[in-house]
Amino acid sequence: MDYRVPQPVPQVILDDVRGAQKMLSGVSRVTAMEGSRHLSALTGSPVHFKCENLQRTGSFKLRGAYVRIAGLRPEQRAAGVVAASAGNHAQGVALASSLLGVRSTVFMPVGAPLPKVAATQEYGAEVRMHGQVVDETLTAAQDHADRTGAVFIHPFDHRDIIAGQGTVGLEILEQCPEVRTILVGIGGGGLAAGIAVAVKALRPDVRIVGVQAAGAAAYPPSLRAGHPVSVDHPVTMADGIKVGRPGDIPFHIIAELLDDVRTVSEDALSRALLLCLERAKLVVEPAGCSPVAALLSEPELYGGGPVVAVLSGGNVDPLLLQRILRHGMAAAGRYLSLRLRVADRPGALAGLLGVLTEVDANVLDVSHVRTDPRLGLTEVEVELHMETKGPEHCVEVARRLHGAGYTVIG
């Protein structure tokens, strides 16, 4: 990476990560490394998934949270800890605190998915709902810390958090010693920074690439400016990396050690989630799919040696998963929505469906509109949702409808 900052790199070193690894022995799982034949064929290099979606609590966050809380002084533990999160960090702090016998309070936004709220409570935290967005929740958690003396556990901007997350990097080198490229999603930057500290100390030749959602990409402008820059109103389905400003400590490590930062679209994230589910049989949340999205978007950049994509988490709300899968199928050309007008007479709909049967399109849903003032007296608008076999099949469906005399209007 061409960007450099004048400030010294904060002192998170390999020994810190190795110490964290010893501390986490018997606490966090050494998660599996799984190969992907599809992505290997696409890139021309062996591609492996580092499955942190199978970690305890469903993400890597337990690693850093445990190391941070375990390092507290006795009087700090006695005061308890507090955190703010919409999901993964909340669960990591809750379980880590329970394992260490520390009281935890977690603030979550009012709209947080119910399964994540329930999981956080089951791991032992007291959950308080506050605010509509995470920034408001974060303020409430910090106010609580000021009032009560509880220790605020930041999700990424602390050296112990970074050291804990860096244990993922040590495991990658142990499980895939021939690795040439590591792709990892970036929100605040704790995971990417930790992996970079560990891997670059032992294997400086390994290329480390960070991945951000295009709608919440604070790192590219920050790296150009030489200091953390905020992105107003970040928007992405990948809530795990939906962070408006890089952490101060992770930023300096990433600026010094990462080789590149790429961005991916929402369509790419959807397609990546669908691929993980269908091909790898892995449930991965959108943030965890960001490295896979980068491989799908620019496969030509990752030839020349084994690639490891870090699947950072698998905590996805079932309702969101349903919407993302439909979006992913549409992005992959396997889900087609059409509107067209037909004569309002008996048998017209049956004729339309007959054409679609001939072209082997699977109709999922049909709706009629008869009251639109734009319709003629003898017309009805029909909206169809169909499952198709890919982009070429979509073109074939449209061509067959046109040949049968139908006009697609949307």
Side-chain angles (χ1 to χ4, degrees), residues 281-406:
K281 315 307 177 190
L282 293 169
V283 176
V284 187
E285 63 190 90
C289 286
S290 57
V292 179
L295 290 168
L296 289 173
S297 300
E298 300 175 296
E300 69 280 0
L301 297 183
Y302 304 104
V307 177
V308 172
V310 180
L311 307 183
S312 57
N315 293 317
V316 55
D317 178 61
L319 294 177
L320 176 62
L321 179 62
Q322 184 180 37
R323 294 198 298 270
I324 292 172
L325 288 176
R326 179 168 289 190
H327 187 262
M329 290 180 68
R334 293 173 48 196
Y335 185 85
L336 182 63
S337 296
L338 294 175
R339 287 187 298 115
L340 58 160
R341 291 175 184 170
V342 300
D344 189 9
R345 57 176 174 77
L349 180 59
L352 171 60
L353 295 178
V355 173
L356 296 174
T357 299
E358 292 172 2
V359 77
D360 202 24
N362 184 28
V363 177
L364 303 174
D365 186 53
V366 180
S367 63
H368 281 78
V369 176
R370 284 189 167 88
T371 57
D372 193 315
R374 293 171 296 181
L375 293 172
L377 186 62
T378 59
E379 288 182 320
V380 62
E381 186 174 289
V382 178
E383 183 173 349
L384 298 163
H385 302 279
M386 293 168 281
E387 185 180 7
T388 54
K389 301 173 183 178
E392 293 180 358
H393 191 207
C394 291
V395 173
E396 183 183 357
V397 169
R399 185 185 301 117
R400 186 67 65 89
L401 288 171
H402 179 76
Y406 295 100

Side-chain angles (χ1 to χ4, degrees), residues 136-391:
E136 295 174 356
T137 308
L138 183 64
T139 299
Q142 291 172 327
D143 289 344
H144 176 85
D146 293 339
R147 288 195 315 272
T148 66
V151 179
F152 179 69
I153 307 299
H154 199 283
F156 49 81
D157 207 6
H158 192 280
R159 63 191 307 272
D160 290 345
I161 295 286
I162 294 169
Q165 320 305 28
T167 59
V168 176
L170 294 180
E171 290 178 15
I172 290 172
L173 294 183
E174 292 164 1
Q175 294 171 307
C176 185
E178 68 279 13
V179 62
R180 298 292 300 171
T181 302
I182 297 173
L183 290 106
V184 54
I186 301 182
L191 177 61
I195 289 174
V197 167
V199 171
K200 288 294 189 179
L202 295 169
R203 286 280 309 279
D205 60 302
V206 173
R207 181 182 177 217
I208 303 178
V209 179
V211 185
Q212 291 208 286
Y219 265 89
S222 296
L223 291 167
R224 287 192 292 270
H227 59 83
V229 172
S230 296
V231 172
D232 293 331
H233 310 299
V235 178
T236 176
M237 70 176 74
D239 57 350
I241 54 174
K242 185 181 175 182
V243 178
R245 183 186 184 279
D248 291 327
I249 299 175
F251 171 77
H252 294 307
I253 296 173
I254 286 170
E256 181 67 24
L257 297 180
L258 252 66
D259 297 279
D260 199 2
V261 175
R262 312 298 296 181
T263 61
V264 293
S265 68
E266 299 297 286
D267 279 356
L269 288 168
S270 296
R271 290 189 290 117
L273 188 149
L274 186 61
L275 183 144
C276 288
L277 188 62
E278 286 192 322
R279 298 296 183 92
K281 315 307 177 190
L282 293 169
V283 176
V284 187
E285 63 190 90
C289 286
S290 57
V292 179
L295 290 168
L296 289 173
S297 300
E298 300 175 296
E300 69 280 0
L301 297 183
Y302 304 104
V307 177
V308 172
V310 180
L311 307 183
S312 57
N315 293 317
V316 55
D317 178 61
L319 294 177
L320 176 62
L321 179 62
Q322 184 180 37
R323 294 198 298 270
I324 292 172
L325 288 176
R326 179 168 289 190
H327 187 262
M329 290 180 68
R334 293 173 48 196
Y335 185 85
L336 182 63
S337 296
L338 294 175
R339 287 187 298 115
L340 58 160
R341 291 175 184 170
V342 300
D344 189 9
R345 57 176 174 77
L349 180 59
L352 171 60
L353 295 178
V355 173
L356 296 174
T357 299
E358 292 172 2
V359 77
D360 202 24
N362 184 28
V363 177
L364 303 174
D365 186 53
V366 180
S367 63
H368 281 78
V369 176
R370 284 189 167 88
T371 57
D372 193 315
R374 293 171 296 181
L375 293 172
L377 186 62
T378 59
E379 288 182 320
V380 62
E381 186 174 289
V382 178
E383 183 173 349
L384 298 163
H385 302 279
M386 293 168 281
E387 185 180 7
T388 54
K389 301 173 183 178

Side-chain angles (χ1 to χ4, degrees), residues 46-65:
V47 173
H48 307 278
F49 294 151
K50 176 59 173 167
C51 299
E52 282 296 291
N53 59 309
L54 303 180
Q55 184 57 261
R56 296 180 70 178
T57 75
S59 89
F60 70 96
K61 289 287 190 177
L62 171 65
R63 297 174 184 263

